[in-house]
């Protein structure tokens, strides 16, 4: 429990439980590692998303549930107009992100900056490549951003519940929706279901495309 709580809020936190045999568990680890470094895998879905009726009241969280709060700024860059060199890539776009940790008092405690490229393959698989960038690189890319797209600003609340990782995205701009991301699946044959935290007011399940439409 203490080890898990120490990792709450890490942007790449993944939990591999003992609900399967050792070989299957190792295969999940290998597939997830490949996905993180931008290699195609058999990993089909990492999170399930739910629309919340309202922003959760943190005072309603059980005392044993540790959580971390972040402010996130996501900025889309210009899409490449050139034909993608890989013949199996259907579409590609990229964005930069500023992620600021907040203390429970609301005071900022430091920011990290990242760049992400997302490729949609012809077989429907999404491949992401990520790297950490400096503040100077972030500001330079920010000044050359795609100004036809909204800058997405949100608060994120990260926590664990019954050995599952959850992230609540509270959008501030360009809309004010609140979406729960739940890590439930790590391989195509996984039958994991969401053990929904009872202290959240859930509206309904949503898709990736619905989430994109909700915030612009």
């Amino acid at each position: 429990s203490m080890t898990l709580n120490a990792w709450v809020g890490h942007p790449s936190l993944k939990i591999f439980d003992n609900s399967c045999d050792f070989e299957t568990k190792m295969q999940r680890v290998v597939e997830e590692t490949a996905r993180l470094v931008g290699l195609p895998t058999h990993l089909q879905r990492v999170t399930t998303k739910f629309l919340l009726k309202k922003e959760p009241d943190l005072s309603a969280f059980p005392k044993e549930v540790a959580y971390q709060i972040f402010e996130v700024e996501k900025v889309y860059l210009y899409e490449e107009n050139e034909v993608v060199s890989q013949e199996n890539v259907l579409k590609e776009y990229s964005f930069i992100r500023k992620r600021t940790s907040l203390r429970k008092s609301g005071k900022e405690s430091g920011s990290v900056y990242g760049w992400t490229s997302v490729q949609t393959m012809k077989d429907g698989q999404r491949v992401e490549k990520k790297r950490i960038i400096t503040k100077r690189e972030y500001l330079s890319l920010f000044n050359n951003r795609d100004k036809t797209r909204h800058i997405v600003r949100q608060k994120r609340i990260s926590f664990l519940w019954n050995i599952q990782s959850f992230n609540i995205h509270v959008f501030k701009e360009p809309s004010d929706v609140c979406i729960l991301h739940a890590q439930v699946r790590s391989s195509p044959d996984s039958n994991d279901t969401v053990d929904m935290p009872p202290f959240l007011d859930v509206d309904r399940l949503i898709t990736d495309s619905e989430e994109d439409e909700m915030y612009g």
Side-chain angles (χ1 to χ4, degrees):
S1 177
M2 291 181 64
T3 302
L4 277 176
N5 286 339
W7 286 97
V8 169
H10 191 282
S12 298
L13 174 63
K14 297 292 179 289
I15 299 174
F16 302 94
D17 59 22
N18 295 317
S19 60
C20 57
D21 59 41
F22 180 76
E23 291 298 326
T24 302
K25 184 175 182 178
M26 289 303 298
Q27 182 61 34
R28 291 181 178 182
V29 173
V30 171
E31 289 181 346
E32 183 58 38
T33 303
R35 190 191 69 81
L36 287 173
V37 299
L39 296 176
T41 75
H42 296 295
L43 196 67
Q44 292 187 337
R45 187 175 64 183
V46 179
T47 57
T48 298
K49 302 175 183 180
F50 300 86
L51 179 66
L52 299 183
K53 294 181 180 179
K54 60 183 179 179
E55 181 177 347
D57 179 4
L58 294 177
S59 65
F61 278 40
K63 292 183 178 180
E64 66 273 14
V65 176
Y67 60 85
Q68 295 288 334
I69 304 175
F70 306 90
E71 285 185 346
V72 175
E73 179 179 77
K74 184 177 180 181
V75 180
Y76 288 93
L77 307 178
Y78 285 105
E79 293 185 19
E80 294 292 338
N81 292 323
E82 300 176 1
V83 177
V84 182
S85 57
Q86 300 99 315
E87 60 179 16
N88 60 333
V89 177
L90 190 63
K91 180 182 179 182
E92 183 174 8
Y93 67 91
S94 59
F95 59 86
I96 52 174
R97 179 185 287 131
K98 175 185 177 182
R99 188 170 183 263
T100 303
S101 301
L102 299 180
R103 304 184 194 278
K104 292 187 177 180
S105 63
K107 185 178 180 180
E108 296 183 1
S109 62
S111 300
V112 293
Y113 306 86
W115 169 90
T116 301
S117 171
V118 181
Q119 293 180 331
T120 302
M121 317 303 283
K122 290 184 177 179
D123 62 1
Q125 187 175 176
R126 282 163 53 104
V127 178
E128 294 187 1
K129 297 178 183 178
K130 299 185 179 185
R131 68 180 177 89
I132 296 173
I133 59 176
T134 65
K135 181 178 180 179
R136 177 177 293 183
E137 287 178 294
Y138 182 86
L139 293 176
S140 176
L141 290 168
F142 183 93
N143 290 332
N144 292 284
R145 68 189 183 278
D146 183 352
K147 294 181 175 63
T148 66
R149 305 191 67 174
H150 292 291
I151 296 175
V152 178
R153 293 187 173 92
Q154 59 182 225
K155 178 171 74 174
R156 290 189 186 179
I157 305 166
S158 301
F159 66 97
L160 301 175
W161 176 258
N162 287 354
I163 319 296
Q164 289 185 332
S165 175
F166 294 89
N167 285 279
I168 300 171
H169 295 202
V170 184
F171 290 87
K172 303 299 184 182
E173 295 180 37
S175 62
D176 58 356
V177 297
C178 190
I179 297 174
L180 174 69
H181 289 218
Q183 179 201 331
V184 296
R185 183 171 295 184
S186 53
S187 65
D189 59 349
S190 173
N191 292 317
D192 296 339
T193 57
V194 178
D195 187 359
M196 190 63 66
F199 45 87
L200 298 181
D201 196 358
V202 178
D203 185 352
R204 60 183 175 85
L205 180 71
I206 62 172
T207 64
D208 289 341
S209 59
E210 282 183 290
E211 180 185 31
D212 292 341
E213 291 172 1
M214 285 176 182
Y215 64 79

